Amino acid sequence: MLVQFYNVSKIYPNGVKALDDISLKIDRGEFLFLMGPSGAGKSTLIKMLFREELPTRGQIFVASRSIVRMKRSEVPLLRRNMGIVFQDFKLLENKTVAENIAFAMKVVGASNRDIRQRVPEVINMVGLKGKENCLPTELSGGEQQRVGIARALANQPLMLIADEPTGNLDMETSQEIMELLFDINRKGTTVIMATHARELVKQAHKRVIMLERGRIVNDTPHGESLV
Amino acid sequence: MRLSNILYFFREAAKSLSRNRLLTFATISTVTICILILGMAVLLSLNAERFMSRLESDVQMIAFLDRSLSDAEIDEVQEEIEKIDGIKSIKFVSRDESLRELQETYGSQYDLKATLGKNPLPHTFEIEAKNPQDVPKIAELVYRIPGVYKVNYGQGVVERLFQVTHWVRIISLAFIIVLAAGAVFLIATTTRLSVFARRKEIYLMKLIGATDWFIRWPFFIEGIFLGVVGSLLAVALLAAGYGALLQNITSMAIITLVSDMAVLGKVYLALVGTGAVLGVLGTYISLNRFLNV
Ligand SMILES: Nc1ncnc2c1ncn2[C@@H]1O[C@H](COP(=O)(O)OP(=O)(O)O)[C@@H](O)[C@H]1O
Ligand SMILES: [Mg+2]
């Protein structure tokens, strides 16, 4: 098991109960959609995976390590197992495509040689060959998200975590990004993606966990709940 | 740690420093002024101490004896004085010797003995203390010995000298504390602005899995740079000024300044070290408050 949640609840300091007694398991190699309306708790659940938020109650294990009991100093190592993809891409605007990806490797202490070798690989993987030296502002939204995905893959994570990665993209571009994520999943990386784009999920026939007001209302292995 | 990482830290620090040049300049200037005053105070008290120890070593006591004492009683007084702790030397000066000395200062055309009729001076002991600070205490003990009617040691002068250096120290310390606080505050502000300018990048670095120290290093380098450059400027100014002073003053015999390069070098090095500490302190405060890593 890659991820285990046991009776996890999250109450924010302002009293909002974002998650209510969540239990779930995610296997290595799975592709999982987290679905639900805005405010259902998708982002909260995702943030717990990389320990940006801690649960108020319950236990979470990632790669057999307890998120709750983990020391502060161990958090960076946890996060190096994960590639995170953001809705707003979070690219550094003054850096080129290649530099943005190299940056992610640099900050975890990769050697220059590894960086020189890996950056072209992931640029190829996401189909951005020829755009290495472009600045983010010279790219379309879909291309920018490809850079975001390439950056997330640079350190060869066990899992890719994406919170509304297509939230800022049109339908056609979103479908292209989905194809890329399926491709990455086929090559062995676990993918966890939060979205409220029903259309995308429906076509995918992947596992879907439906959240509503902080509770799991449905967990279907091939998205049967959406038909 | 990789060399490429260290280069990266320095590059990031340099970027931050050049991003807000005015603040960088203001911070370095404050550190310079602070360290300059600190340095001046240190050199001043170093020299004051040297000056005093020479001056004080000249300070001796003179105990005046009752005129009615017999020779045996004078010997007793001497024994009593010799019992006191901290005495370096004691010398008996008879009234005749004293008069002769006095006569010498007046010259031969003026006959003191003829004018005064008889010798009005008392017998005295000239007493030297081992430690100048003990002079007032020893004088008090000598005064209590029966047969001694007065002890002179330039009362007040020694005490006043001690008081002056005491106050010089307190006042410069107050200045230094205020300025050091200002320097630390400015360094903290510089760091805070750098953190603010890079907050998106920092958040991203944290989520990618950078360690806290990887994120902190550029800021510490920035802070240490501000502290060290500021104090280097101060030391350069101080060394130039003090060097000029040394050259102009060696011709005068009365005042001799501390010119030992080993001592001065230590002082200058300590000042640069202090600058670095201010830098670390400012960065530390700022990072703890504004960078939650
Ligand atoms: N940092 C926070 N502080 C307080 N309340 C929050 C915070 N983040 C989210 N919430 C609240 O928690 C609930 C779930 O939010 P979120 O996990 O972002 O849902 P989703 O991603 O499904 O839209 C919402 O009611 C939201 O307002
Ligand atoms: Mg959300």
Side-chain angles (χ1 to χ4, degrees):
Chain A
M1 280 299 153
L2 192 55
V3 176
Q4 292 150 290
F5 276 56
Y6 294 106
N7 308 99
V8 171
S9 295
K10 174 70 184 182
I11 301 166
Y12 282 109
N14 62 2
V16 173
K17 194 166 201 176
L19 292 180
D20 186 3
D21 200 29
I22 298 284
S23 294
L24 62 85
K25 287 189 168 82
I26 305 168
D27 246 330
R28 273 175 207 274
E30 266 194 87
F31 194 114
L32 170 71
F33 284 112
L34 276 176
M35 271 211 66
S38 180
K42 304 182 294 294
S43 295
T44 301
L45 198 155
I46 289 241
K47 282 177 185 164
M48 287 187 176
L49 289 172
F50 46 87
R51 207 177 184 267
E52 192 177 335
E53 295 288 350
L54 279 169
T56 312
R57 270 194 299 279
Q59 267 294 348
I60 301 172
F61 294 91
V62 173
S64 307
R65 307 265 302 115
S66 165
I67 295 270
V68 180
R69 286 197 287 265
M70 183 173 287
K71 282 190 240 134
R72 243 183 90 100
S73 58
E74 296 171 316
V75 175
L77 293 175
L78 168 82
R79 290 177 180 167
R80 287 175 197 191
N81 287 323
M82 307 171 171
I84 304 174
V85 179
F86 306 90
Q87 178 172 356
D88 60 354
F89 321 135
K90 293 203 193 304
L91 302 178
L92 300 177
E93 278 142 35
N94 54 349
K95 284 182 160 63
T96 65
V97 169
E99 284 166 353
N100 263 285
I101 299 165
F103 175 78
M105 296 184 71
K106 181 122 239 166
V107 303
V108 299
S111 70
N112 282 341
R113 180 192 300 180
D114 287 348
I115 292 174
R116 269 197 305 275
Q117 194 199 331
R118 180 70 177 158
V119 170
E121 271 175 30
V122 286
I123 286 178
N124 264 344
M125 215 180 284
V126 300
L128 282 180
K129 199 163 184 185
K131 306 264 182 185
E132 292 84 350
N133 297 319
C134 291
L135 288 170
T137 47
E138 298 165 343
L139 301 175
S140 71
E143 286 170 328
Q144 287 187 48
Q145 191 57 295
R146 284 172 191 270
V147 180
I149 293 168
R151 179 181 62 194
L153 290 175
N155 294 319
Q156 292 171 305
L158 286 174
M159 59 181 128
L160 201 71
I161 298 169
D163 192 356
E164 312 262 8
T166 61
N168 289 4
L169 306 174
D170 60 43
M171 195 58 197
E172 204 185 318
T173 315
S174 297
Q175 275 165 342
E176 285 166 20
I177 293 293
M178 289 314 302
E179 282 311 319
L180 177 59
L181 292 177
F182 292 144
D183 193 38
I184 289 161
N185 176 242
R186 266 194 297 276
K187 286 173 183 151
T189 308
T190 310
V191 178
I192 300 166
M193 167 172 162
T195 182
H196 59 256
R198 210 180 170 84
E199 280 310 305
L200 291 180
V201 180
K202 213 166 151 180
Q203 297 161 5
H205 304 291
K206 301 285 187 190
R207 180 178 173 195
V208 180
I209 289 180
M210 287 282 272
L211 282 178
E212 246 167 63
R213 271 177 277 153
R215 302 190 69 104
I216 296 181
V217 294
N218 226 313
D219 184 350
T220 49
H222 303 289
E224 295 88 338
S225 56
L226 292 162
V227 185
Chain B
M1 202 179 284
R2 275 179 212 289
L3 180 67
S4 64
N5 285 346
I6 295 170
L7 291 177
Y8 164 83
F9 296 147
F10 275 92
R11 226 174 13 245
E12 290 302 312
K15 259 193 250 168
S16 282
L17 286 165
S18 60
R19 191 154 27 212
N20 206 333
R21 286 193 202 133
L22 194 66
L23 190 66
T24 299
F25 177 74
T27 308
I28 289 179
S29 310
T30 311
V31 174
T32 303
I33 294 169
C34 173
I35 300 292
L36 196 59
I37 292 187
L38 175 65
M40 290 197 292
V42 169
L43 288 181
L44 188 71
S45 51
L46 213 63
N47 280 296
E49 236 150 69
R50 141 88 65 109
F51 180 66
M52 273 203 303
S53 67
R54 303 176 94 248
L55 191 80
E56 284 156 3
S57 63
D58 293 339
V59 174
Q60 48 166 226
M61 290 161 273
I62 298 176
F64 298 89
L65 305 182
D66 285 335
R67 310 176 136 274
S68 56
L69 295 188
S70 65
D71 285 357
E73 283 169 325
I74 290 171
D75 287 344
E76 268 173 46
V77 171
Q78 173 152 10
E79 275 168 33
E80 286 298 311
I81 293 174
E82 280 167 349
K83 278 186 204 156
I84 298 171
D85 278 340
I87 285 181
K88 191 164 134 197
S89 69
I90 174 167
K91 184 180 154 215
F92 179 73
V93 181
S94 75
R95 43 197 298 197
D96 294 336
E97 278 176 73
S98 294
L99 190 66
R100 222 177 296 128
E101 275 175 27
L102 202 61
Q103 179 68 64
E104 271 168 27
T105 61
Y106 278 91
S108 51
Q109 68 267 66
Y110 194 70
D111 190 347
L112 278 177
K113 206 155 192 174
T115 318
L116 297 169
K118 57 175 187 158
N119 184 351
L121 300 174
H123 291 309
T124 56
F125 280 113
E126 288 180 7
I127 306 163
E128 246 184 280
K130 278 187 200 138
N131 188 348
Q133 271 121 305
D134 293 340
V135 168
K137 207 176 64 206
I138 293 173
E140 177 65 28
L141 291 173
V142 172
Y143 179 65
R144 283 201 206 135
I145 297 170
V148 175
Y149 81 87
K150 197 168 121 188
V151 181
N152 271 359
Y153 60 93
Q155 278 95 333
V157 176
V158 174
E159 283 94 335
R160 226 170 297 140
L161 257 170
F162 278 120
Q163 255 174 3
V164 167
T165 46
H166 182 67
W167 281 105
V168 164
R169 260 179 225 154
I170 287 183
I171 290 168
S172 51
L173 195 69
F175 260 104
I176 288 158
I177 288 173
V178 169
L179 279 163
V184 168
F185 173 78
L186 270 179
I187 291 169
T189 305
T190 313
T191 311
R192 200 183 74 189
L193 283 184
S194 312
V195 171
F196 189 74
R198 297 183 55 205
R199 64 196 183 287
K200 275 188 188 166
E201 204 177 320
I202 289 167
Y203 177 69
L204 191 64
M205 287 164 85
K206 284 165 72 174
L207 290 193
I208 290 171
T211 60
D212 289 354
W213 272 108
F214 192 94
I215 296 173
R216 284 182 194 135
W217 263 118
F219 298 110
F220 272 102
I221 289 172
E222 193 182 335
I224 292 170
F225 177 86
L226 293 169
V228 167
V229 169
S231 54
L232 278 178
L233 279 176
V235 165
L237 288 172
L238 199 65
Y242 193 70
L245 202 65
L246 276 180
Q247 286 212 316
N248 289 323
I249 250 170
T250 37
S251 48
M252 288 189 262
I254 336 152
I255 312 168
T256 59
L257 292 177
V258 176
S259 60
D260 186 355
M261 261 335 280
V263 174
L264 290 180
K266 254 182 235 161
V267 169
Y268 295 153
L269 209 63
L271 290 175
V272 175
T274 307
V277 168
L278 292 183
V280 170
L281 215 62
T283 311
Y284 181 79
I285 291 169
S286 187
L287 288 191
N288 261 16
R289 282 187 58 196
F290 301 104
L291 179 69
N292 185 27
V293 299

